[in-house]
Amino acid sequence: MVNRILSIAANTFRETVRNKILYAILAFALLVIMLTYFLADLSVGELTRIIADVGLASIHIFGVIMAVFIGITLVSQEVDRKTVYLILSRPVPRWEFIIGKAFGLSLTLALTTLVMSVTLFLVHAAYGRAPETGIFIASTGIYMELVALICLASLFSTFTTPVLSAIFTLSMFLIGHVTGELLVFSERASSGIARSISRILFYVLPNLENFNWKNEVVYEKVRSAGVLWAASGYLFCYFAGVLCVACLLFSRKDLK
């Protein structure tokens, strides 16, 4: 089982790293990150903070674009190429196919996020003369969020078209960053029904702010690496459930 999943993941990784559009997005992201070195000279205030702020925002935005771009084609691309029939004609359960594809896409995002974060680290160190290791902590949080988006995109790609998958995934990305407001609303709402619905939505919808430590790095309030454990636990529990639903839907999908 493990070998089959790793084989699908490795094949998915090879396919995505050969994608020219992914390279174009990555190249543009690196260009923006490197331009922050010159942007800081044109700005007023703490210049190293501007580099960290704009650089981490660039990693976040371009990472989301990559995650959505490669995540929504998880199933449709294999169906269009008819390679899914070749894979599933072998003794490969459908859930292993989904898990392997999601794992492979996560490896691709790990590589691109690492390249972008190392570039930002070098630019920040070159300008500020002081290495900021918090960039890697914040980038790890961004990567966890991208893995979460891959899981959501995988779920949507099992039952709808790539365009709708992209719309649904981007919607969950936006909602995931305001989920915490639902808890505040539930405490202030005068209606009992509104409080109950808000609280249920708070626990059902993803809370992507659990992976957001960019401001702490920018304002030099870097959290310890210990925060990664709590975020990892949330990522594993919540999005393992999302992948389980994706596997269930894909197992019932008619591919004929």
Side-chain angles (χ1 to χ4, degrees), residues 49 61 122-123 136 147 162 213 221 231 242:
R49 287 182 183 179
I61 292 171
L122 294 176
V123 170
F136 292 111
V147 172
W213 309 306
K221 297 178 181 178
V242 171

Side-chain angles (χ1 to χ4, degrees), residues 124-141:
H124 189 280
Y127 194 93
R129 310 298 181 191
E132 176 55 85
T133 55
I135 288 174
F136 292 111
I137 295 178
S139 297
T140 303

Side-chain angles (χ1 to χ4, degrees), residues 51-65:
I51 292 177
D53 192 16
V54 177
L56 288 172
S58 300
I59 294 174
H60 192 194
I61 292 171
F62 287 105
V64 169
I65 294 173

Side-chain angles (χ1 to χ4, degrees), residues 2-253:
V2 175
N3 289 337
R4 291 195 295 267
I5 292 175
L6 291 178
S7 177
I8 295 172
N11 186 58
T12 303
F13 176 77
R14 283 194 295 270
E15 287 180 355
T16 50
V17 296
R18 293 171 183 167
N19 193 311
K20 294 180 180 178
I21 298 178
L22 188 68
Y23 278 117
I25 298 172
L26 179 61
F28 195 68
L30 295 178
L31 177 63
V32 172
I33 292 171
M34 288 187 283
L35 284 177
T36 58
Y37 185 94
F38 305 101
L39 177 66
D41 283 332
L42 303 175
S43 307
V44 177
E46 294 289 341
L47 305 184
T48 53
R49 287 182 183 179
I50 293 173
I51 292 177
D53 192 16
V54 177
L56 288 172
S58 300
I59 294 174
H60 192 194
I61 292 171
F62 287 105
V64 169
I65 294 173
M66 292 179 197
V68 173
F69 170 70
I70 62 177
I72 60 174
T73 58
L74 183 139
V75 173
S76 61
Q77 193 174 56
E78 298 291 342
V79 173
D80 292 341
R81 294 177 179 173
K82 302 189 184 303
T83 51
V84 67
Y85 304 108
L86 179 63
I87 297 172
L88 297 181
S89 64
R90 299 175 180 177
V92 178
R94 292 192 178 192
W95 69 269
E96 290 184 6
F97 175 79
I98 292 294
I99 299 295
K101 294 290 287 184
F103 187 44
L105 297 181
S106 299
L107 289 177
T108 304
L109 289 177
L111 179 62
T112 56
T113 305
L114 178 64
V115 171
M116 290 188 288
S117 59
V118 168
T119 303
L120 176 59
F121 177 81
L122 294 176
V123 170
H124 189 280
Y127 194 93
R129 310 298 181 191
E132 176 55 85
T133 55
I135 288 174
F136 292 111
I137 295 178
S139 297
T140 303
I142 293 172
Y143 171 68
M144 288 182 177
E145 182 177 332
L146 300 183
V147 172
L149 291 178
I150 283 291
C151 295
L152 290 169
S154 302
L155 170 63
F156 296 134
S157 69
T158 57
F159 64 86
T160 189
T161 63
V163 174
L164 289 178
S165 295
I167 293 173
F168 292 155
T169 306
L170 288 173
S171 299
M172 295 305 289
F173 165 72
L174 297 174
I175 292 171
H177 282 282
V178 296
T179 306
E181 301 300 322
L182 290 171
L183 192 60
V184 177
F185 178 76
S186 69
E187 294 171 351
R188 296 180 178 177
S190 57
S191 169
I193 296 176
R195 284 198 299 271
S196 300
I197 293 176
S198 300
R199 192 168 290 275
I200 290 172
L201 289 176
F202 172 74
Y203 288 109
V204 170
L205 294 172
N207 188 352
L208 300 180
E209 282 296 307
N210 285 331
F211 312 116
N212 184 9
W213 309 306
K214 294 192 292 295
N215 287 337
E216 283 79 358
V217 172
V218 171
Y219 292 101
E220 300 177 354
K221 297 178 181 178
V222 183
R223 298 183 183 184
S224 71
V227 296
L228 300 177
W229 291 107
S232 300
Y234 177 78
L235 179 68
F236 178 79
C237 294
Y238 187 93
F239 292 98
V242 171
L243 276 184
C244 286
V245 176
C247 293
L248 180 63
L249 292 176
F250 188 63
S251 67
R252 298 183 176 183
K253 186 179 181 67

